[in-house]
């Protein structure tokens, strides 16, 4: 039980790697930087594997808890540096360290010719450290440390090319936008402490066990705490209305996009909602808000992805949409399905981003899909692996996304918190996802060559980049098979694994997925329902439409776009939300900052007061200085004047008396 008794080792290793590379890596060869950066995450991953083995040998119905020291002590406010492990923690640890390790390996090829190589790996290690801290935290405050840490690292990595203005602007946009949600998160933590007199998960959950659920139409304390915490998730996980930072985050190196979108940061909000499920389950109104925001975001972001031309921007809006699916699952009470989709999404979205980086690498930095075409025979490994990821995210039967997305939609349509309109939004989003992802595949790898071979020498990426692609492609295919036996009357192994975490909630309200999906049907009916259900039809329709418009009849796409220029312009320009935010918030704040805070308050009031006092002091000093003439007669005159004045003062006081 070495690792279980020393959980700090798992998070200490990436932190050590970040410190060593950050402080010493500047003068080291890249091989040494690689050894430290990759080695620290690899050891952490091995530690998680050993942790999993040891955990399985214990009573898995109990949470493993380790308290190391008292961190903050102020009256009744006590915060321990304490870590805990349960089934949900292990899923997240495996995803973060495994995908993080592959991203580190991939980066050795992708960033080989970039400056600041040691700094890049130090930031990656630090990112993994903060995400592991967030996952292992046994209380809200320590979780918040990891929460803010991944926000800091996203700023550093998105703006890694700091001489590029668009990159630094994107980094600042991510940092500032997520701070808006984090303000609500902070208030939520304070309100939770005020309500439960503790910020430890165990204490809060034990008190919640004795509390009834609030009214679905009421707004009580539990609902307020839930919504405030969810505000943080909206910012961190890029949901409406705070999603705008995530597409701009594509200004960072592609490995950063993969790490942020697949294994860290954006999944933090989903994990937080799942971790706090005893709270959300007793706040029905908050759960509905989570589901509504998730469904709306899934549909909204999918519509934007339809006409984007930058290969990474398409994947960025895809991430926003898929995160909406996860929140939809959690909002309708299917927490296991939401986390299952988080895991499968980490595989296929990590693959898609790394594969897009391989395409960009092959195209000498080109990201516009309109300038690609016919690449499948020239970069076959990239093509086949990216196709596997596309089939997974589209929900094609047999691939990982099919299992997790289907469970979410089934829960939204037939679970205890089912809502037809939320289900419909999710279903339409599934069809749109299939369309824009196969559009990406067809524009990039099929059709006529739309680039100049004299300027672009297309070549397959090095093995350091393609090996992670192959591994993630395998996971994108097989990662959902944990749930496959369920379709033939067997057990959903993933749900069974995380069931002890959500048992307190599921036991009261949730019909298990095995029961709700089957609806009492037999094995054959269950499999037939899954293979011929609306989600599969939506995916196939999206695929066929993309094939028709971009392979079979490419002129039809141009004709269709010509007939709906207004809609195309609206979606291509992302509903002009950035422009609206700029007009409503950014420009007014800039005007207030410039004309009121700067010119009026700072220059005229503060500087004017300080400079005025200085001016008066200088003038007074100049006048007084003239009295020091060095003339003895002048000094004598002043002595006489002073003596006379003092005498007159004494006489006056005596007469008044």
């Amino acid at each position: 039980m070495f690792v279980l008794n020393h959980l700090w080792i798992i998070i200490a290793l990436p932190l050590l790697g970040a410190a060593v590379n950050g402080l010493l890596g500047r003068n080291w060869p890249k091989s040494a930087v690689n050894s430290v950066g990759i080695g620290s995450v690899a050891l952490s991953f091995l530690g998680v594997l050993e942790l999993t083995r040891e955990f399985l040998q214990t009573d898995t119905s109990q949470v493993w808890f380790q308290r190391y020291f008292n961190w903050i002590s102020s009256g009744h406010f006590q915060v321990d540096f304490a870590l805990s492990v349960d089934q949900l923690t292990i899923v997240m640890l495996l995803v973060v360290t495994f995908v993080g390790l592959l991203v580190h390996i991939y980066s050795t090829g992708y960033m080989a010719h970039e400056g600041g190589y040691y700094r890049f790996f130090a930031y990656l290690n630090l990112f993994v450290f903060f995400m592991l801290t967030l996952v292992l935290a046994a209380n809200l405050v320590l979780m918040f440390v990891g929460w803010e840490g991944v926000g800091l690292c996203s700023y550093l990595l998105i703006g890694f090319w700091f001489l590029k203005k668009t990159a630094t602007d994107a980094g600042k946009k991510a940092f500032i936008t997520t701070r808006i949600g984090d303000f609500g998160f902070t208030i939520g933590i304070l309100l939770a402490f005020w309500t439960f007199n503790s910020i430890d998960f165990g204490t809060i959950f034990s008190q919640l066990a004795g509390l009834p659920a609030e009214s679905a139409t009421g707004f009580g304390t539990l609902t307020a705490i839930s919504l405030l915490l969810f505000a943080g998730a909206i910012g961190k996980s890029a949901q409406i209305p705070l999603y705008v930072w995530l597409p701009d985050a594509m200004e960072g190196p592609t490995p950063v996009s993969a790490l942020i979108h697949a294994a860290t940061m954006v999944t933090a909000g989903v994990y937080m909602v799942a971790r706090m499920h005893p709270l959300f389950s007793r706040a029905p109104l908050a759960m509905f808000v989570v589901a509504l925001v998730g469904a709306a975001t899934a549909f909204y972001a999918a519509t934007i992805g339809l006409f984007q031309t930058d290969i990474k921007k398409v994947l960025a809006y895809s991430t926003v949409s898929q995160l909406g699916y996860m929140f939809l699952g959690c909002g309708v009470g299917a927490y296991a399905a939401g986390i299952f989709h988080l895991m499968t999404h980490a595989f296929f979205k990590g693959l898609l981003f790394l594969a897009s980086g391989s395409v960009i690498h092959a195209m000498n930095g080109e990201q516009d899909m309109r300038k690609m075409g016919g690449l499948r025979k020239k970069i076959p490994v990239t093509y086949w692996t990216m196709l596997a990821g596309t089939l997974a995210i589209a929900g094609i039967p047999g691939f990982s996304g099919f299992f997790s997305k289907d469970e979410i939609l089934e829960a939204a349509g037939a679970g205890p918190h089912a809502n037809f309109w939320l289900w419909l939004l999710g279903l339409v989003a599934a069809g749109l996802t299939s369309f824009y992802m196969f559009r990406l595949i067809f524009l990039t790898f099929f059709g006529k060559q739309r680039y100049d071979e004299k300027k672009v020498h297309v070549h397959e990426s090095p093995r350091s980049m393609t090996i992670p692609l192959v591994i993630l492609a395998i996971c994108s295919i097989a990662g959902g098979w944990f749930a496959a036996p369920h379709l033939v009357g067997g057990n959903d192994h993933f749900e069974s694994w995380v069931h002890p975490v959500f048992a307190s909630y599921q036991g009261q309200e949730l019909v298990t997925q095995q029961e709700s999906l089957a609806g009492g049907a037999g094995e054959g009916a269950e499999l037939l329902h899954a293979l011929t259900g609306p989600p599969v039809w939506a995916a196939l329709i999206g695929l066929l439409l993309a094939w028709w418009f971009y392979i079979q009849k490419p002129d039809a796409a141009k004709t269709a776009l010509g007939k709906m220029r207004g809609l195309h312009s609206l979606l291509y320009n992302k509903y002009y939300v950035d422009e609206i935010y700029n007009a409503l918030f950014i420009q007014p704040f800039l005007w207030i900052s410039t004309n009121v805070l700067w010119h009026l308050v700072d220059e005229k009031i503060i500087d004017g007061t300080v400079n005025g006092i200085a001016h008066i002091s200088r003038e007074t000093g100049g006048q007084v200085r003239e009295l020091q003439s060095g003339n003895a007669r002048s000094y004598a005159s002043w002595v006489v004047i002073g003596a006379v004045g003092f005498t007159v003062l004494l006489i006056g006081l005596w007469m008044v008396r």
Side-chain angles (χ1 to χ4, degrees):
M1 300 297 174
F2 177 77
V3 178
L4 268 176
N5 290 314
H6 299 84
L7 293 174
W8 60 270
I9 293 176
I10 293 175
I11 63 176
L13 287 167
L15 179 62
L16 180 62
V20 171
N21 269 337
L23 296 174
L24 306 175
R26 186 185 191 92
N27 300 316
W28 284 0
K30 290 180 179 178
S31 58
V33 173
N34 293 343
S35 298
V36 173
I38 297 175
S40 61
V41 179
L43 289 174
S44 185
F45 174 59
L46 292 176
V48 173
L49 291 178
E50 174 60 19
L51 170 66
T52 305
R53 188 191 69 81
E54 294 178 5
F55 183 77
L56 288 172
Q57 295 178 348
T58 66
D59 181 3
T60 56
S61 64
Q62 301 295 320
V63 176
W64 189 270
F65 178 84
Q66 280 289 318
R67 177 187 180 277
Y68 293 97
F69 56 85
N70 182 259
W71 176 28
I72 301 174
S73 181
S74 177
H76 295 293
F77 187 69
Q78 302 290 324
V79 181
D80 293 330
F81 184 87
L83 307 177
S84 63
V85 174
D86 60 11
Q87 290 83 351
L88 175 59
T89 308
I90 287 178
V91 171
M92 293 297 298
L93 291 177
L94 287 170
V95 168
V96 172
T97 54
F98 176 66
V99 178
L101 174 60
L102 294 178
V103 170
H104 277 69
I105 295 172
Y106 178 95
S107 298
T108 61
Y110 192 88
M111 301 295 292
H113 305 293
E114 298 290 342
Y117 190 82
Y118 77 98
R119 181 166 51 87
F120 181 79
F121 275 89
Y123 291 165
L124 285 185
N125 278 180
L126 193 63
F127 211 146
V128 173
F129 158 73
F130 278 121
M131 190 64 192
L132 293 176
T133 301
L134 187 156
V135 170
L136 280 166
N139 58 67
L140 281 167
V141 173
L142 188 57
M143 173 186 273
F144 189 67
V145 172
W147 188 275
E148 291 299 294
V150 294
L152 169 64
C153 292
S154 69
Y155 166 76
L156 296 173
L157 286 167
I158 293 169
F160 178 76
W161 289 316
F162 54 83
L163 296 179
K164 185 179 176 184
K165 187 177 185 303
T166 53
T168 56
D169 287 346
K172 289 185 289 186
K173 186 176 184 178
F175 191 79
I176 294 170
T177 304
T178 53
R179 294 290 77 69
I180 297 172
D182 291 351
F183 176 75
F185 193 92
T186 305
I187 301 301
I189 293 175
L190 296 175
L191 184 57
F193 174 74
W194 181 79
T195 303
F196 302 106
N197 201 33
S198 176
I199 42 81
D200 294 326
F201 293 140
T203 304
I204 293 174
F205 296 165
S206 63
Q207 292 186 42
L208 283 169
L211 296 178
E214 293 182 345
S215 170
T217 58
F219 194 91
T221 304
L222 301 184
T223 300
I225 297 173
S226 299
L227 291 177
L228 286 168
L229 294 178
F230 182 57
I234 287 175
K236 198 69 70 181
S237 295
Q239 298 294 283
I240 294 174
L242 301 180
Y243 69 92
V244 291
W245 68 270
L246 192 57
D248 287 13
M250 298 302 97
E251 291 292 340
T254 299
V256 173
S257 303
L259 192 61
I260 291 176
H261 288 240
T264 62
M265 187 152 172
V266 295
T267 60
V270 180
Y271 168 75
M272 184 274 295
V273 172
R275 172 59 66 201
M276 299 300 293
H277 72 275
L279 176 66
F280 282 86
S281 67
R282 288 163 177 79
L285 178 60
M287 285 187 65
F288 176 74
V289 171
V290 172
L292 178 61
V293 170
T297 303
F299 171 78
Y300 172 83
T303 62
I304 297 178
L306 293 175
F307 300 120
Q308 298 304 305
T309 56
D310 185 309
I311 189 170
K312 287 177 66 177
K313 284 290 181 70
V314 173
L315 296 178
Y317 282 104
S318 168
T319 297
V320 176
S321 182
Q322 295 303 306
L323 289 165
Y325 269 109
M326 299 174 206
F327 282 115
L328 172 60
C330 292
V332 297
Y335 295 104
I339 295 299
F340 190 24
H341 196 57
L342 184 155
M343 183 188 76
T344 60
H345 177 264
F347 297 146
F348 59 68
K349 185 51 62 67
L351 168 61
L352 289 169
F353 266 112
L354 296 184
S356 72
S358 183
V359 171
I360 295 168
H361 181 269
M363 293 293 296
N364 292 343
E366 182 59 64
Q367 296 183 198
D368 192 335
M369 296 183 296
R370 296 171 297 183
K371 299 178 181 178
M372 298 179 186
L375 295 177
R376 70 183 186 281
K377 294 182 179 179
K378 297 189 176 183
I379 47 175
V381 176
T382 301
Y383 164 66
W384 285 108
T385 54
M386 196 165 196
L387 179 61
T390 300
L391 292 168
I393 193 174
I396 301 301
F399 291 81
S400 60
F402 161 73
F403 297 98
S404 56
K405 188 182 294 184
D406 188 69
E407 287 189 4
I408 291 174
L409 289 176
E410 285 288 350
H417 297 282
N419 184 296
F420 171 77
W421 297 109
L422 298 182
W423 172 83
L424 185 61
L425 280 176
L427 181 66
V428 175
L432 296 177
T433 300
S434 179
F435 176 83
Y436 67 67
M437 285 306 306
F438 281 104
R439 170 181 175 266
L440 181 153
I441 290 292
F442 296 146
L443 284 176
T444 304
F445 296 102
F446 289 81
K448 296 180 180 179
Q449 176 182 307
R450 299 185 296 277
Y451 57 89
D452 188 350
E453 286 191 355
K454 296 180 181 179
K455 298 180 180 180
V456 180
H457 173 60
V458 179
H459 57 286
E460 187 61 272
S461 300
R463 295 182 67 184
S464 60
M465 295 171 64
T466 56
I467 290 176
L469 295 183
V470 173
I471 294 173
L472 285 171
I474 294 172
C475 293
S476 297
I477 296 171
W481 291 356
F482 295 103
H486 165 54
L487 299 181
V488 290
N491 188 30
D492 184 334
H493 296 296
F494 184 87
E495 185 176 353
S496 297
W497 169 252
V498 297
H499 179 75
V501 178
F502 304 118
S504 60
Y505 173 56
Q506 290 176 323
Q508 296 171 16
E509 300 182 10
L510 268 185
V511 180
T512 62
Q513 291 299 309
Q514 288 92 332
E515 296 170 347
S516 63
L517 298 186
E523 297 177 7
E526 173 72 8
L527 180 60
L528 182 64
H529 172 76
L531 295 179
T532 61
V536 174
W537 281 108
L540 293 177
I541 291 171
L543 189 163
L544 291 174
L545 285 175
W547 172 80
W548 176 263
F549 283 121
Y550 296 99
I551 297 295
Q552 187 67 17
K553 297 287 185 180
D555 292 336
K558 297 179 182 178
T559 302
L561 290 177
K563 293 180 178 180
M564 52 179 185
R565 292 178 183 176
L567 179 62
H568 174 265
S569 178
L570 181 67
L571 298 181
Y572 181 77
N573 290 286
K574 292 99 60 179
Y575 294 97
Y576 299 97
V577 169
D578 282 316
E579 291 78 3
I580 293 172
Y581 282 4
N582 183 65
L584 292 180
F585 302 109
I586 297 175
Q587 290 305 320
F589 275 114
L590 283 176
W591 187 89
I592 293 172
S593 298
T594 302
N595 295 283
V596 178
L597 299 179
W598 176 15
H599 291 311
L600 177 60
V601 177
D602 192 13
E603 287 186 341
K604 293 184 178 180
I605 297 178
I606 298 177
D607 287 351
T609 301
V610 174
N611 293 336
I613 294 173
H615 177 73
I616 293 173
S617 300
R618 183 172 59 251
E619 291 297 322
T620 303
Q623 296 296 326
V624 173
R625 184 182 58 199
E626 293 180 0
L627 299 178
Q628 304 296 323
S629 62
N631 189 314
R633 290 184 179 181
S634 176
Y635 292 161
S637 299
W638 284 112
V639 169
V640 172
I641 292 172
V644 171
F646 185 68
T647 302
V648 171
L649 176 62
L650 291 177
I651 293 172
L653 291 174
W654 178 79
M655 292 179 66
V656 171
R657 186 178 173 188

